Structure formats: structure tokens, C-alpha cells
Amino acid sequence: MNGTSSGSGVDFQLNSMMQRNQPVPGPQQPKGTMRKAAAKQTSSPGCIPIPTPPGHSLQPQQTPLGTSRQASTRPVRRGEAGNQGMSAGDMFDAVCSGKSAMVALVDEWLDSYKQSREAGLLELINFIVQCCGCKGVVTRDMFDNMQNAEIISSLTNEFREGSENYPLCTPGPQWKRFKAGLCEFVRVLVRSCQNSLLYDEYLFSSLMALLTGMSDSQVRAFRHTSTLLAMKLMTGVMEVAVILSTQLQISQRRYDLENRKNAQDRASARLEVLQATISELQENREELSSLMNATFRGVFVHRYRDHLPEVRAVCIAELGKWLSEDPEDFLNDGNLKYLGWTLNDKQSPVRLQCVLALQSLYQEKDFIGRLELFTSRFKERMLSMVLDKDPDVAVEMVHLLLLIHQKTEGGLQDEECGRIYPLVFASHRGLASAAGSFLYNNIKKVIASDYQESWTTVGPNVAFFNILVSFYIQSEFQQHGVYLVDSLWDVAGSELRDWETMTTLLLQDDGLSDAEEGALIELMMCAIKRAAEGFPPVGRTQGKKILNMKDKKIQAQDRRRITTHFINLIPQLLAKYSVDEEKVCLLLEAPFHFDLEMYSSSKPLEKHLDLLVSQVCGIVKKHSEARVLEACARLVPALCSDCYTFSTRTHLAFSQLLDGLTECFNTYLDDLLQGTADEEDMYRAALALKRVATFNRAMDLKRWKLFNPCLDVLQSNVVRDLDNEVELLQLKKEVRLFYSVCQTCLSLDQAEIRDQAFELLCDVVLLYSPGSVRSQTLAQPPPDSLRSEMASFVMDYIFTGCEDDHFTGVNEEMTIATFQRKHNQLAGYCKLVIYGALDLSAATDVFKHYSKYHKEFGDIIKETLSKSRLINPVQSAKTVCLSLQQLFSEMISEKPDEQELGEIRGLAKRLAMSFGTNLHRVRKSLVALHMDGMRFAFRDPKEGELQHLNLAFLEILSDFTFKVLHQDRAQLSAFLKAECPSAALSWPSVRMYQRSLEGSSSKPRQEEGGGEKESSTLSPPINPTAKRRKTTAQDSVSSAQRISWMDSSSIHGSLLSPALTSTVLLEQTKPQASTHPRDTDFNESSGLLEPDSEDEFDEGLSLIEENDVEAEEHKIENVQSISDEEFSPILPVFKVTAAPTDLFVTLAQAQI
């Protein structure tokens, strides 16, 4: 065959391909018959028999459904069929080891296949079965006489006898390389067969038919492994198809070139060869297209929405390769829709593979035109994925959006970019860095378009800092510049290290505004710290902070550059901004990142040190703010360290500063001791002493002998305070009067005055409680009558109305306001209990509603239970028991009701669960609770009461038994026998309680059948009496006498004094009802349905429909949130809007 020199390489390749494409010796079916078989495979992949060459018997024989590898040897041996190649076990071991050369392994199998293609294919099939982790073997009889579905069914029965693990999901180092080895085996197999066996219409057709059937199996191992192999096979076939398309284009061009020649110059033989080559390439290309089409429709279309996320991820990852490497055949809207749908997949690995596939497409400029429809339909979904719950997915999505913004014609709009910019402040460093790269590229884009003409005069970095400062000021995350700098550090490190430009902008007179100067100083100091330390900020590092040698070298270079540049400029900056508190505090951090040894390296640099110390001393004299003084004091130990030769000079300068401050204080000392100092003198003396005290941690102040003068001043003030005893008595009188007026207001019909009175009482009682005041002489506990009124208010106005028309949703604003008000009132009352203003017994009115109002106030009641156990565990447990006793007494005062008893037992179970899992810690508390409960159950009846009226309380008490340790149950059993009358031992309630103590279960006891029915017969009929919610002062006093074990003094001082919790607002603000529906989290399960038509692609449907759920998440019963600032899950802190005296006057006037 003649040809030009330029095409000799192609001719040689074509000739060698034609030679290798000769059929393998052996009988074969006609092409027409094989193509019909292939067509049948696409329509019914699960029931297609493996193509069998003619000459083999197809008569059905009685063969076993499967043969276990352990039970017998392999049916096909090398010697039996004359096959000297590798067996399935050898191939599996070679792939598992990962040490064998895949090319040699595949070549050895191909040699055995060429000797006997049936035996070779059978070994390959058994190799695949073994890769699935199946113990079964496909015998020759099964291979000849059974269809794919029957073979797979037989293997399924064998597989179910084994382990649930299979090689692709088995943990351990020996299986780590298995998947990579298996994929490499498939890739080498296709490449080795690309010139011959790929087109014999037997090997790959049979193999793909089996894989298609296995991919539809219910066995996870079969489905996962076969899908992976089928997708990798299709990828390999696609790569060969791309090569054939290139060869076809080259041959067609050469044919056209030869054909355009004159008749006398035209080589007819060459045209015939080229025409034959083109025909063969077209035929082979069609063959591969048919195989890919069968695989795509038979495997991918069904498995991209598989139940297993691993299978879905494999399909999407390979689809991305097909779209990017063979765009002519695959890159169209019909295939892009699968990527769009799987953006909604609920498993992050699948979403990640989808995003990575899209990145490979948007990187190619030639593909952008074909992606316009996809971009318009799924842009909103991609923008929402920057907040994906998986940080890796969010990071890659930001990279993808950057590609879209750079490559597409319209890019992203400003509003769309604004959804990405705040991520520079994210705690995840990868996501923040990706957002920083996005921000940096947009800044560069703006500079290139708007600041290009000004580069020659101001430089590109000036424009960069102008834009960056404007962005930082407009962001909602100011004072977090360290995170912004760290986000930009990887891409804009050179700009952020441009100290010259930053200091030039700061030192010029008319350049930046005050806000811009403050922002630039903050960003500059953050960049200095980032360069000097070499570590990301707190919250963005994981594990230990260790720098390698390269990073340490860069860090040392940066510190030297920082010191060299700022050593003479920092005094100038401090002088310019010396009166600005914020800017000075930031600039004083700079010397900590200097290489201070440079100050002693030469005489001129010592002059800059003197200027720095002088500026620091001047700042101390100018400012009185604590943060500025502390910033100066922190700098003193660094400059006065003995490791530097200049420490003597700096120590002398700061000593002189303290001499001047001490002299100023001593000037006014005599007037202070004699009481003749005016306000100005007192202010100057206090300011001088405040400045001296700031240096207490930085220097030794003994030489200035300030202890005795300060002690004299304190003693003189104490003597003068004793003259104010009359004022103290007057204050206590006003507090008692305030209590009296508010107590009266608690009974008024005006809801607004009543609510304000209660809220004021919560604040004032807390302020004058023994645990809050500095001196016990100021303590003014509330009287018993006021305590009773406050408890009645809780019962009558807080734990009522939640089921009334206030909460029916008719008026949403009123519902929210009412709920918020009750929430705050209950929180204020519980704080009185926790901080000792009220006895712990007052919490019984709260604990008894824990179950009924758990949805509305469960967070406050739970926190109160927790804090009370920290104060006194035993008394807290007794209070829990007391609350149950009160509910039980209220129940038996009326007609006993089984339903009401069940509600009390439900409350008991919820209270029992609040004791936690550390039973040793609550051991004494539970024993005390049970003993109090038994005393209540067996107490002597009063006059006119029936015997054993409270025995049914033991049923309630039994709900706490599962928390009692075994060694304590014997003690409680003995106490039960001692307290219980002999006649009552046979009563059902007593027997139930005894069984609960004798049981060994550590879990909550299940309801015993008929237990409640028995208890309903315990108490004789009782005449019902009216039930009163409102308690009186006398009842409160008698109740306090019955529970004398409750000592409130143990509460005082146990916890830190809280901030005031007043919820009264003089100017009633109208709460804004939330009218926005809750945003649907894009990470929630998304139903993925196969679309009925291609038109559904335009609607951006979700893709996967699955009924399974992910790992069970912790359910939190939450009350309806009002706002982020109005209430916290624990006892909240609110701001007092008026002094108590003013509110007292207002309330008194309202009452009049």
C-alpha cells in the first residue's frame, strides 16, 4: 500500500489493526445472528443467555444450582480443557495483592482465551463472581444450559450462606488496593482487546449481558461490583471509540485529499485501501456504539438512582468522564439532566461526584455553549449548595461557581455572588479558602475593568486594598478580619504582604475616611499576625500546630521583613492615631511580631526604640480606657525582657512613667484622707491610681509603696459609709413598701399591671436576696404572703391558657407575645429558686407541670432541675418527690381517676429520666426520694381520714426504682417492711413496689398488666371537694412547717449572682410575627423519580425516591422560637429598662 511519508505512521497502525482484527480460530455465529442477540440483550438484560457458539449441546441437563468452593474443586481445570492460562482464583489473588503487573496478567488470560474462548470466558465469569464475595462457582453445565437470570439466582442462594461483607466494602489494609486493582484490570483488558477481541461479538457482548443481569440483582454485592465493572468497561470502550473517531476523521481527510487530485496523479490502489479502512472503522465504531448504548440503557439508567449511594456515586463519576472525553456522543441535555437531578441526592458522596463531573465540563471553553440550558435551570440549586452540610461538597461547589462566573458569558449576578462572599468568614478553612479565591478573582476582575487606567499612578495593590476595605466595612462580620485575611492568604498572599502600600495609605493625610482607616489597620495587623505566626486563626486548625522546615523558613523571612519595614513606621502610626482607642489598641499589637533583636543591632535603630517607648508612655497619659491601658501594659514585659541588651533603657523609661503617676496620686492623697477633695481631685487621683494598677502584672510595684496609702483611703471611706445607716434603713423600708404594692397588684384584673408587677418582683427580690447583696444587712427576703401570691400567679397565669384561644393561631402576633411573656415570667421565677431568693420547695409548683407543659416550658423546667441538683442534690430529689405528693393529694381530694393517676406516673417517669445515667452520683438523692415517698404513703391518717389513703403513691414511686443501685435496694426493702403495716403488705400497690425493688432491670419498668386497675380499688369512695389552685399564706406556712428538712441557707452563694432578668418594657414593643415559611434544607431527602418525558428536564426535578433514612438524628423538642435575642434555652438574661425606684413610682401611679 502506497502512501505519503507524512501518513506512514497512520498506515502502519491501520495495517496492524487489520491484521489483529482477524477472527480467532473456532466456530463463530454469523454477524446477523449476533447482532440480533445483542438487540435482545438491551430489551431484557436479566433473562438473556450467554451467547454460545454452535456445536455445543443446548439440551437441558440435571445440573446442580451451584457448587461451593469449599465443598468441591473448580469444575474447569487447566488440564481438563487444555487451558494452560490463569484460573479465576489466580486472577483474584493477583488483583487483591496489587503487586502484579496488570498487563502481564491480562496477556496471560488472553492466551488462555485464544486457546479456548469458552473456558477462558468461564474463568473470567468466575473471577467476577469471586470479586463479588460469592462462594459459588459457575460450572460448565450451568454456562452451557442456563440463562443469566438462572445463573444469578443460583449464585444468590450460595451468597446468602456467607458473610455480609464483600471485597469492595471490606475494611482492612489488604482490601484497600482491591478496587483500584480491579478497575485497572478492566482498563487494561479493554485496551488489550481494542484491535481484535473487542469486535468479535462474543467476549464483551457475553460479559456485558452477565453484568447487566447482575446489576439488577437484589444482592448488594452483585449489584455494586457488577455496576462498577460495567461502568469501567463502558469507560474503556468509550476511550477506544474516541480513538476510532479520530482515526476515522484522519482517514476521511486523506481520502478526500487523494480523491481531489487529477486522474493521472490519483492512486486508485490507495483510494481502495483508504475506502476499506474507512468502512472498517465505521463498522467498528457502530459496533462500539451499540455496546455502549446497551450498557447505558441496561445498567446506568437503572443504577444511577440505586438504593446504595456507592453505586450511584460510581455511575455519576463515570458519566462525568463520558461527557468530558466524548462530548460528540454524550454531551447533550438528555444526559446532562442526570447530573442536574443528582445535585439533590441526599448522600454527600454522590453530590460530590456530581459537582466534580460538572467542574470538568465547565473547564472546557468549547462546552459552554452546550451547557447554557443546564446552567439556567440548575443555577439556583448550585448556589444553594455552597451551604451544603458536607464541607467537601460546599468547597467544590464554590470552585464550580467560580468556573461558571469566569467561563460563561453572563457569569453570576451581583446578588448571586453576594451569597458566596460571606463564606470567607466560615470556620471550615477549605470552604473559606475557596470563597476567598472567588472573592479575589472578582476583585481582580473589577480592577482590570475599572482601575486599569490608574495603575500607572497608584499601583494595582492600592485598588486591591480599596476594594477589600470597602467589602470588609459592608460585611456583617466586622471584627473578624483575621478570618478574612486567612481566607485570602493562599491566593492573595503577595498583596497582603505589601506592607509598603498599606502604610502609605495610612500615613497620607487626605486618602481614606476614618472607617476605612480603621478597617485597613485591622486587616494590616491581621496580615502581620498571620505572616509572623504561620498558623491559621483559632477555629480553623485541627490537631497540633506544627510547621515544617519550609514553612519555618518562610515565617522567619516574613518576621524580618515586617520588622525592617515597621521598626521606623510604627512610632509614626502611633503618633497619628494616638487619640483613637480602637486604632491604638490594634497598632500596639505590632511589636509582638517583631524580631526585637534588631533594635540592638545598630545605633540608629535604638533611636526608633526610644520613639516607640515614648509613644507608649504618651498613650498611657492620654487614655483612661481599660483596654488601651492593658494593651500598653502587655507591651512592657516584651520590651523589658532581660534577654535583650536594651532592656535597661526601656525599664528606666517605664519606671519614670510610674514615678509621675505615683506623684500625681500622692498629691491628692491628703485631701482624700481628710475628706476635703472635690470631685475633680478625686477623679484625677483615681485615674492616676487606675493607670498604675494596670502595670501591676507587667512590673513589680513594691518600690513605689502604694499599699499603705490605698489602705488608708479604703478605711476612711468605710468610716464615712457608717454615717449612711439612716439611708440604709430608709432603703429597706422602701423595698418593703414596694413588695406590698406589687403584691396588691398581683390580684388586679388589669393583665398589663399584673404582669409588670410580677416581673418587677422577680428582679427586686433577686437584687435583695441574701446571695446577691454584698452585705447581709442589705438583704430583704420576701414575706411568706408574697411568696404565696407569687406561687399563685405561676399557677393561675403561667400554667394556664396554653390550650385556650390565645394559642389557637387566630392572631399570630398575640400568640407569640403571650408565649414570650409567659416564658420570661417563668424564667424569672425559676431564677429566684436557683439563686436562693426563694426556698427550693417553691419549685414544686414548677416541677409538677414538667410533663403537661413540656412542649411550652420544658427547656426552663429541665434547666431548673439541673441547676437545683448542683446546689443540693438530696433536697432537689426531695422537692421532686414533694411535687408528686402534692399532685397525688389533689387527686385523692376529688374522686380518684385512673387517667389522672396515669398522668402523674407519666410525670414521674419523665422526672426519673432527668436523673441522668451516672447512678453513683445520684445514689443518695434517689434513696432520700424513696424514703420520703414511703413515709408519705404510710403516714398516719388525720382525724376523719380513711386508713392507708396514700398507698397508691407507691405505684408512682416505683417508676424511680430502675435508677436505684442494687446495693441500695436491700436498704429500701428493709425500710419498706419497717414502715409498712403488716395488714398492708398484701395490697397490690405494695406488692408492685416490692417487685420493682426486687427486680434486676436497669431500664424503666414496663407497665404491669392490671396494675392500675388494681390500684383503682385501693381507696374507698371519697366525697369530692372543690379543688383550689390559689394557695393562701396560711397554707404556705403550714407547708413550710411540714417540709422542715428544706434549708434554704444551703443555696446561698452556691452559684454566681446572675444578671437581672426583668422582662418589663416601659415602651411595649410589638413582636413581629414570623411570616416567612421555614426554608427547606437542600440536604434533606429528595425524592428522585425517573421522568416520564424529556420535558421534565426543564422543570429541574429531583432524582432519587427512597424510603430509607440516614443515621437517626437526635430529636430535640423545641418550643417555637421567637427570635435569636429574646430567649435562650437556659434561664435567659434580659436588660432592665428602668431603675426599680422609677418602676415603683410608675406602678403606684398606675394603681391609683
Side-chain angles (χ1 to χ4, degrees), residues 451-482:
Y451 290 84
Q452 189 171 6
E453 298 179 356
S454 60
W455 279 10
T456 56
T457 57
V458 298
N461 287 349
V462 174
F464 173 81
F465 286 117
N466 285 331
I467 299 174
L468 183 62
V469 166
S470 299
F471 167 78
Y472 184 56
I473 293 175
Q474 296 173 7
S475 67
E476 300 177 358
F477 302 93
Q478 295 187 24
Q479 298 182 350
H480 292 84
V482 62

Short mmCIF file of all heavy atoms in Angstrom, two decimals, residues 451-482:
data_model
loop_
_atom_site.label_atom_id
_atom_site.label_comp_id
_atom_site.label_asym_id
_atom_site.label_seq_id
_atom_site.Cartn_x
_atom_site.Cartn_y
_atom_site.Cartn_z
N TYR A 451 -10.11 49.93 37.17
CA TYR A 451 -8.94 50.62 37.69
C TYR A 451 -7.72 50.49 36.77
O TYR A 451 -6.61 50.77 37.18
CB TYR A 451 -8.57 50.06 39.07
CG TYR A 451 -9.54 50.41 40.15
CD1 TYR A 451 -10.69 49.66 40.35
CD2 TYR A 451 -9.32 51.49 40.99
CE1 TYR A 451 -11.59 49.96 41.35
CE2 TYR A 451 -10.21 51.81 42.00
CZ TYR A 451 -11.34 51.05 42.17
OH TYR A 451 -12.23 51.35 43.17
N GLN A 452 -7.95 50.04 35.55
CA GLN A 452 -6.80 49.77 34.68
C GLN A 452 -6.04 51.05 34.35
O GLN A 452 -4.81 51.06 34.27
CB GLN A 452 -7.28 49.09 33.39
CG GLN A 452 -6.15 48.56 32.52
CD GLN A 452 -6.67 47.71 31.38
OE1 GLN A 452 -7.86 47.60 31.19
NE2 GLN A 452 -5.77 47.11 30.64
N GLU A 453 -6.75 52.15 34.16
CA GLU A 453 -6.08 53.39 33.79
C GLU A 453 -5.28 54.00 34.94
O GLU A 453 -4.33 54.73 34.73
CB GLU A 453 -7.12 54.40 33.30
CG GLU A 453 -7.86 53.93 32.05
CD GLU A 453 -8.90 54.95 31.61
OE1 GLU A 453 -9.06 55.96 32.34
OE2 GLU A 453 -9.54 54.74 30.56
N SER A 454 -5.67 53.70 36.19
CA SER A 454 -5.00 54.32 37.34
C SER A 454 -3.84 53.48 37.86
O SER A 454 -3.22 53.84 38.85
CB SER A 454 -6.01 54.55 38.48
OG SER A 454 -6.58 53.32 38.87
N TRP A 455 -3.56 52.35 37.23
CA TRP A 455 -2.46 51.50 37.71
C TRP A 455 -1.11 52.23 37.65
O TRP A 455 -0.27 52.06 38.52
CB TRP A 455 -2.38 50.24 36.86
CG TRP A 455 -3.36 49.20 37.27
CD1 TRP A 455 -4.37 49.35 38.16
CD2 TRP A 455 -3.40 47.85 36.82
NE1 TRP A 455 -5.07 48.18 38.29
CE2 TRP A 455 -4.50 47.24 37.46
CE3 TRP A 455 -2.65 47.11 35.92
CZ2 TRP A 455 -4.83 45.91 37.25
CZ3 TRP A 455 -2.99 45.78 35.71
CH2 TRP A 455 -4.07 45.20 36.36
N THR A 456 -0.93 53.00 36.62
CA THR A 456 0.38 53.63 36.43
C THR A 456 0.68 54.64 37.51
O THR A 456 1.84 54.92 37.81
CB THR A 456 0.41 54.32 35.07
OG1 THR A 456 -0.67 55.25 34.98
CG2 THR A 456 0.28 53.28 33.95
N THR A 457 -0.35 55.20 38.16
CA THR A 457 -0.12 56.23 39.18
C THR A 457 -0.17 55.69 40.60
O THR A 457 0.65 56.04 41.43
CB THR A 457 -1.17 57.34 39.02
OG1 THR A 457 -2.48 56.75 39.12
CG2 THR A 457 -1.01 58.03 37.66
N VAL A 458 -1.15 54.84 40.89
CA VAL A 458 -1.30 54.37 42.26
C VAL A 458 -0.88 52.91 42.44
O VAL A 458 -0.62 52.48 43.56
CB VAL A 458 -2.77 54.53 42.72
CG1 VAL A 458 -3.16 55.98 42.70
CG2 VAL A 458 -3.72 53.71 41.86
N GLY A 459 -0.84 52.14 41.38
CA GLY A 459 -0.46 50.74 41.51
C GLY A 459 -1.68 49.85 41.72
O GLY A 459 -2.69 50.27 42.28
N PRO A 460 -1.58 48.60 41.28
CA PRO A 460 -2.74 47.71 41.39
C PRO A 460 -3.10 47.37 42.82
O PRO A 460 -4.27 47.14 43.13
CB PRO A 460 -2.29 46.47 40.61
CG PRO A 460 -0.79 46.51 40.65
CD PRO A 460 -0.42 47.96 40.66
N ASN A 461 -2.11 47.33 43.74
CA ASN A 461 -2.42 46.94 45.11
C ASN A 461 -3.21 48.01 45.86
O ASN A 461 -3.93 47.71 46.81
CB ASN A 461 -1.13 46.62 45.87
CG ASN A 461 -0.52 45.30 45.43
OD1 ASN A 461 -1.16 44.53 44.72
ND2 ASN A 461 0.70 45.05 45.85
N VAL A 462 -3.07 49.26 45.45
CA VAL A 462 -3.89 50.31 46.06
C VAL A 462 -5.36 50.07 45.76
O VAL A 462 -6.22 50.17 46.64
CB VAL A 462 -3.43 51.69 45.56
CG1 VAL A 462 -4.36 52.78 46.08
CG2 VAL A 462 -2.00 51.97 46.00
N ALA A 463 -5.63 49.76 44.51
CA ALA A 463 -7.00 49.45 44.15
C ALA A 463 -7.49 48.20 44.87
O ALA A 463 -8.65 48.12 45.31
CB ALA A 463 -7.11 49.27 42.64
N PHE A 464 -6.62 47.22 45.02
CA PHE A 464 -7.00 45.98 45.72
C PHE A 464 -7.40 46.28 47.15
O PHE A 464 -8.44 45.80 47.64
CB PHE A 464 -5.82 45.00 45.69
CG PHE A 464 -6.04 43.77 46.52
CD1 PHE A 464 -6.78 42.71 46.04
CD2 PHE A 464 -5.49 43.69 47.80
CE1 PHE A 464 -6.97 41.58 46.82
CE2 PHE A 464 -5.68 42.56 48.58
CZ PHE A 464 -6.42 41.50 48.08
N PHE A 465 -6.61 47.09 47.86
CA PHE A 465 -6.94 47.40 49.25
C PHE A 465 -8.17 48.29 49.37
O PHE A 465 -8.93 48.16 50.33
CB PHE A 465 -5.74 48.05 49.94
CG PHE A 465 -4.62 47.09 50.25
CD1 PHE A 465 -3.37 47.23 49.67
CD2 PHE A 465 -4.83 46.03 51.12
CE1 PHE A 465 -2.35 46.36 49.96
CE2 PHE A 465 -3.81 45.14 51.41
CZ PHE A 465 -2.57 45.30 50.82
N ASN A 466 -8.37 49.17 48.41
CA ASN A 466 -9.59 49.99 48.44
C ASN A 466 -10.84 49.12 48.36
O ASN A 466 -11.80 49.31 49.11
CB ASN A 466 -9.57 51.00 47.30
CG ASN A 466 -8.60 52.14 47.56
OD1 ASN A 466 -8.35 52.50 48.70
ND2 ASN A 466 -8.05 52.73 46.50
N ILE A 467 -10.82 48.15 47.43
CA ILE A 467 -11.98 47.28 47.27
C ILE A 467 -12.13 46.36 48.48
O ILE A 467 -13.24 46.14 48.98
CB ILE A 467 -11.85 46.47 45.97
CG1 ILE A 467 -11.79 47.41 44.76
CG2 ILE A 467 -13.00 45.49 45.83
CD1 ILE A 467 -11.53 46.70 43.45
N LEU A 468 -11.01 45.82 48.97
CA LEU A 468 -11.08 44.90 50.11
C LEU A 468 -11.59 45.61 51.36
O LEU A 468 -12.40 45.05 52.11
CB LEU A 468 -9.70 44.29 50.36
CG LEU A 468 -9.60 43.24 51.47
CD1 LEU A 468 -10.48 42.05 51.14
CD2 LEU A 468 -8.16 42.82 51.69
N VAL A 469 -11.14 46.83 51.60
CA VAL A 469 -11.60 47.58 52.76
C VAL A 469 -13.09 47.89 52.65
O VAL A 469 -13.84 47.78 53.63
CB VAL A 469 -10.77 48.87 52.92
CG1 VAL A 469 -11.43 49.82 53.91
CG2 VAL A 469 -9.36 48.54 53.37
N SER A 470 -13.54 48.26 51.46
CA SER A 470 -14.97 48.52 51.27
C SER A 470 -15.80 47.27 51.51
O SER A 470 -16.86 47.32 52.13
CB SER A 470 -15.21 49.05 49.85
OG SER A 470 -14.50 50.26 49.65
N PHE A 471 -15.31 46.13 51.02
CA PHE A 471 -16.02 44.87 51.26
C PHE A 471 -16.09 44.56 52.75
O PHE A 471 -17.15 44.14 53.25
CB PHE A 471 -15.31 43.74 50.51
CG PHE A 471 -15.76 42.37 50.91
CD1 PHE A 471 -16.95 41.85 50.43
CD2 PHE A 471 -15.01 41.60 51.79
CE1 PHE A 471 -17.37 40.59 50.80
CE2 PHE A 471 -15.42 40.34 52.18
CZ PHE A 471 -16.61 39.83 51.68
N TYR A 472 -15.00 44.75 53.46
CA TYR A 472 -14.98 44.42 54.88
C TYR A 472 -15.91 45.33 55.69
O TYR A 472 -16.58 44.87 56.62
CB TYR A 472 -13.55 44.53 55.41
CG TYR A 472 -13.39 44.13 56.84
CD1 TYR A 472 -13.77 42.87 57.28
CD2 TYR A 472 -12.85 45.02 57.77
CE1 TYR A 472 -13.63 42.50 58.61
CE2 TYR A 472 -12.70 44.66 59.10
CZ TYR A 472 -13.10 43.40 59.51
OH TYR A 472 -12.95 43.04 60.83
N ILE A 473 -15.96 46.59 55.32
CA ILE A 473 -16.85 47.52 56.03
C ILE A 473 -18.31 47.17 55.79
O ILE A 473 -19.14 47.22 56.70
CB ILE A 473 -16.55 48.97 55.60
CG1 ILE A 473 -15.14 49.38 56.09
CG2 ILE A 473 -17.59 49.93 56.16
CD1 ILE A 473 -14.72 50.74 55.61
N GLN A 474 -18.63 46.80 54.56
CA GLN A 474 -20.03 46.50 54.22
C GLN A 474 -20.47 45.12 54.70
O GLN A 474 -21.67 44.84 54.71
CB GLN A 474 -20.22 46.60 52.71
CG GLN A 474 -20.00 48.00 52.15
CD GLN A 474 -20.04 48.04 50.65
OE1 GLN A 474 -20.36 47.03 50.00
NE2 GLN A 474 -19.70 49.17 50.08
N SER A 475 -19.54 44.26 55.07
CA SER A 475 -19.91 42.92 55.52
C SER A 475 -20.52 42.99 56.91
O SER A 475 -20.37 43.98 57.64
CB SER A 475 -18.69 41.99 55.53
OG SER A 475 -17.76 42.41 56.51
N GLU A 476 -21.20 41.92 57.28
CA GLU A 476 -21.85 41.86 58.58
C GLU A 476 -20.96 41.19 59.63
O GLU A 476 -21.43 40.88 60.72
CB GLU A 476 -23.16 41.08 58.47
CG GLU A 476 -24.15 41.71 57.50
CD GLU A 476 -25.40 40.86 57.36
OE1 GLU A 476 -25.45 39.79 57.97
OE2 GLU A 476 -26.31 41.28 56.63
N PHE A 477 -19.72 40.96 59.30
CA PHE A 477 -18.84 40.21 60.20
C PHE A 477 -17.60 41.04 60.54
O PHE A 477 -16.48 40.56 60.45
CB PHE A 477 -18.43 38.88 59.58
CG PHE A 477 -19.59 38.01 59.22
CD1 PHE A 477 -20.13 38.04 57.94
CD2 PHE A 477 -20.13 37.16 60.16
CE1 PHE A 477 -21.20 37.24 57.61
CE2 PHE A 477 -21.21 36.36 59.83
CZ PHE A 477 -21.74 36.39 58.55
N GLN A 478 -17.79 42.29 60.88
CA GLN A 478 -16.66 43.11 61.28
C GLN A 478 -16.09 42.61 62.60
O GLN A 478 -16.75 41.89 63.36
CB GLN A 478 -17.09 44.57 61.40
CG GLN A 478 -17.51 45.16 60.05
CD GLN A 478 -17.78 46.64 60.14
OE1 GLN A 478 -17.27 47.32 61.01
NE2 GLN A 478 -18.56 47.16 59.20
N GLN A 479 -14.85 42.97 62.85
CA GLN A 479 -14.06 42.48 63.98
C GLN A 479 -13.70 41.01 63.82
O GLN A 479 -13.33 40.34 64.78
CB GLN A 479 -14.79 42.69 65.31
CG GLN A 479 -15.06 44.15 65.63
CD GLN A 479 -15.75 44.33 66.96
OE1 GLN A 479 -16.18 43.38 67.59
NE2 GLN A 479 -15.87 45.58 67.40
N HIS A 480 -13.85 40.48 62.60
CA HIS A 480 -13.39 39.14 62.28
C HIS A 480 -12.46 39.20 61.07
O HIS A 480 -12.46 38.33 60.21
CB HIS A 480 -14.57 38.22 61.97
CG HIS A 480 -15.43 37.92 63.17
ND1 HIS A 480 -16.43 38.78 63.58
CD2 HIS A 480 -15.42 36.90 64.05
CE1 HIS A 480 -17.01 38.27 64.65
NE2 HIS A 480 -16.42 37.14 64.96
N GLY A 481 -11.66 40.26 61.04
CA GLY A 481 -10.75 40.41 59.90
C GLY A 481 -9.71 39.32 59.81
O GLY A 481 -9.21 39.03 58.73
N VAL A 482 -9.37 38.69 60.93
CA VAL A 482 -8.36 37.64 60.90
C VAL A 482 -8.84 36.48 60.04
O VAL A 482 -8.04 35.82 59.36
CB VAL A 482 -8.04 37.19 62.35
CG1 VAL A 482 -9.26 36.61 63.03
CG2 VAL A 482 -6.91 36.19 62.35
#
